[in-house]
Amino acid sequence: MDQEQKWIREVQRHGSRQAAERLIDAYYDEIYRFAYRQIGNKEDAMDLTQNIFLAVLRALPSYDRRKAGFRTWLYRIAANKAVDARRRAGPVAVPIEELDLPVAEDFVLGVQDREMLERIERFVARLDPGVQAVFRLHLYGEKTFPEIADILGQSESAVKSQYYRLLGRLRKEFGPYA
């Protein structure tokens, strides 16, 4: 049994706070990056990350490693929490100093890209949560289609179908720039 599974068992069987902290520490940076890519604000991303881990700890007693690996299960919760957060939040607003665009022409393109991303985000936020999860896991979580299928408990072909249908809708709505 690996260390991760030992921590999970300690939390499940004994409510070990130390094991829970180690489990969170092992995944915190990865989940924070996933949250930040979607939220674009450090404080809000930290809040989302905290909400994700609170949900994970609440649900951990029912986690069954025979049904899904821990990372897969964790991302399923993270994707659902991200969808909920995007519904409540407005468009992504990254401060200019974080855009990291050195040349004036790049700056203009970056602003245009950021505005387009905000428009796309508003569009996607109105869609079915399952489609949003596929979009967010692929774009922000940088997950492959097989990983997304595993996380969401769907077939790879179903995930690809949802993703490419969404891309078609985005191209129809926003033109060739989407």
Side-chain angles (χ1 to χ4, degrees):
M1 179 182 299
D2 67 357
Q3 190 61 49
E4 177 182 279
Q5 288 302 315
K6 287 180 185 176
W7 294 332
I8 292 168
R9 281 180 47 165
E10 283 296 309
V11 172
Q12 288 176 325
R13 291 184 177 172
H14 308 291
S16 171
R17 182 183 179 128
Q18 184 179 22
E21 288 174 3
R22 287 186 176 152
L23 194 59
I24 290 169
D25 286 345
Y27 288 97
Y28 187 86
D29 291 343
E30 180 179 342
I31 295 300
Y32 172 78
R33 282 190 303 274
F34 175 72
Y36 182 79
R37 287 179 184 137
Q38 295 180 73
I39 303 297
N41 172 291
K42 290 178 184 179
E43 291 78 24
D44 291 342
M46 288 172 66
D47 287 346
L48 176 56
T49 303
Q50 181 178 358
N51 288 336
I52 290 167
F53 282 112
L54 285 173
V56 165
L57 292 176
R58 281 189 201 109
L60 198 56
S62 65
Y63 167 71
D64 182 354
R65 70 182 185 150
R66 293 171 298 195
K67 293 181 181 176
F70 182 74
R71 176 178 264 116
T72 298
W73 184 78
L74 172 64
Y75 268 97
R76 185 175 300 147
I77 291 171
N80 289 334
K81 290 293 180 185
V83 167
D84 292 344
R86 289 299 303 160
R87 258 194 230 127
R88 289 188 305 270
V92 175
V94 176
I96 287 177
E97 61 270 12
E98 291 183 23
L99 287 175
D100 193 28
L101 300 168
V103 182
E105 294 166 1
D106 288 344
F107 174 77
V108 172
L109 289 174
V111 169
Q112 291 171 343
D113 288 346
R114 178 61 54 193
E115 289 172 0
M116 179 58 71
L117 181 59
E118 290 173 7
R119 290 176 58 212
I120 290 170
E121 274 291 342
R122 284 191 297 272
F123 181 84
V124 171
R126 293 189 307 260
L127 300 176
D128 174 75
V131 173
Q132 287 185 56
V134 169
F135 173 78
R136 296 181 188 299
L137 286 166
H138 191 66
L139 181 66
Y140 300 116
E142 299 177 346
K143 300 296 178 197
T144 64
F145 291 123
E147 290 171 325
I148 295 168
D150 195 30
I151 289 167
L152 299 178
Q154 299 178 12
S155 70
E156 184 178 341
S157 61
V159 167
K160 284 181 179 178
S161 175
Q162 289 177 63
Y163 183 76
Y164 289 117
R165 260 188 269 133
L166 174 58
L167 284 185
R169 290 179 70 183
L170 291 174
R171 285 190 181 103
K172 185 176 179 182
E173 182 75 20
F174 299 102
Y177 303 108

